[in-house]
Amino acid sequence: MENSFEDLIATYIENKVGISEHFLSSELANNLKQNLLNLNKNSLLKTAGIGNSEKLSYDGAIRSDSIYWLDKKNNNAFEIEFFTQIEAFIVYLNESCYAGITGYEFHYSLYESGDFYLKHLDQFKNNPSRKYSMISYLNSDWKESDGGELMIHQLDNNQKISPTQGKTVFFKSDELVHEVLVTQNTRMSITGWLKSD
């Protein structure tokens, strides 16, 4: 587990974008994916908004995915296993990088064919508590023709990241403009933020 933590931190220091190819085990990724599919089958996902509770809006021309917030109160064994790993990573990050992270929030994200999310930053103008963004992908057998890449915009180095199962991406929430390119297949992830309140 610590190897995947170090992968995230080392690649983040090198390129402002941390990537671990196997942050989630295949078993955990499969279980989380099945949970997300079940939630979707039961119509429990909600249209994703833009902004926070103080300034929330919905605009399908900017963002077209659906979400469901993970919560320990859900008493879902796989979500709790995911949170346990995130909490271990936060301890590792705080001890090795003095990051000062005190909390987190995560949601499932589902993009159907044709969905996208235009360029944006992850930190709210009226609330700077989100310090780092993390995305863990749940897509097995993803092909280049499926699209749906995470495009991270940097001055001289735009980076296109395929959403393959088990991979986790990590970057500062207030620093990198990014987008989700149009997907041609059902695209699933857990997206969230490490926070300092």
Side-chain angles (χ1 to χ4, degrees):
M1 189 183 293
E2 285 195 358
N3 285 343
S4 65
F5 295 172
E6 191 53 42
D7 286 345
L8 281 181
I9 292 170
T11 50
Y12 166 77
I13 290 169
E14 181 181 339
N15 190 38
K16 295 186 178 181
V17 182
I19 299 177
S20 170
E21 294 291 339
H22 305 289
F23 184 83
L24 298 183
S25 69
S26 294
E27 182 179 13
L28 180 55
N30 283 328
N31 287 329
L32 290 165
K33 175 170 57 182
Q34 191 57 55
N35 197 44
L36 173 51
L37 290 170
N38 289 339
L39 289 165
N40 188 47
K41 183 179 178 181
N42 291 313
S43 303
L44 293 173
L45 273 67
K46 306 294 184 189
T47 300
I50 301 155
N52 59 8
S53 57
E54 296 171 30
K55 194 176 180 182
L56 184 64
S57 63
Y58 298 89
D59 188 343
I62 295 174
R63 178 180 189 179
S64 53
D65 60 317
S66 300
I67 66 170
Y68 180 93
W69 289 95
L70 280 71
D71 193 318
K72 287 185 178 178
K73 293 176 185 174
N74 295 340
N75 289 320
N76 180 277
F78 309 123
E79 292 181 20
I80 289 170
E81 184 180 350
F82 175 79
F83 283 143
T84 298
Q85 185 155 339
I86 291 296
E87 289 164 4
F89 176 64
I90 288 171
V91 169
Y92 190 89
L93 180 67
N94 284 342
E95 288 179 351
S96 59
C97 301
Y98 308 101
I101 300 303
T102 57
Y104 55 82
E105 59 184 5
F106 284 88
H107 62 67
Y108 291 109
S109 186
L110 178 71
Y111 290 75
E112 302 284 10
S113 182
D115 285 346
F116 58 89
Y117 191 170
L118 298 184
K119 289 182 185 178
H120 62 282
L121 278 173
D122 278 352
Q123 194 177 81
F124 301 124
K125 292 178 181 176
N126 62 355
N127 184 342
S129 64
R130 289 179 174 178
K131 301 305 179 186
Y132 294 95
S133 301
M134 290 187 74
I135 307 125
S136 295
Y137 295 110
L138 308 175
N139 309 293
S140 54
D141 304 318
W142 197 260
K143 304 184 294 295
E144 188 174 349
S145 59
D146 291 330
E149 296 94 346
L150 175 69
M151 175 70 86
I152 295 181
H153 297 271
Q154 298 197 57
L155 284 176
D156 54 357
N157 182 29
N158 289 347
Q159 190 171 358
K160 193 185 285 189
I161 300 168
S162 62
T164 52
Q165 180 161 301
K167 180 187 294 178
T168 291
V169 181
F170 170 77
F171 54 90
K172 281 195 80 173
S173 299
D174 66 347
E175 191 169 64
L176 296 181
V177 172
H178 56 285
E179 63 182 309
V180 176
L181 302 180
V182 176
T183 184
Q184 306 300 328
N185 204 341
T186 301
R187 177 192 191 274
M188 294 169 282
S189 66
I190 295 178
T191 298
W193 301 273
L194 308 186
K195 304 174 72 176
S196 180
D197 294 316

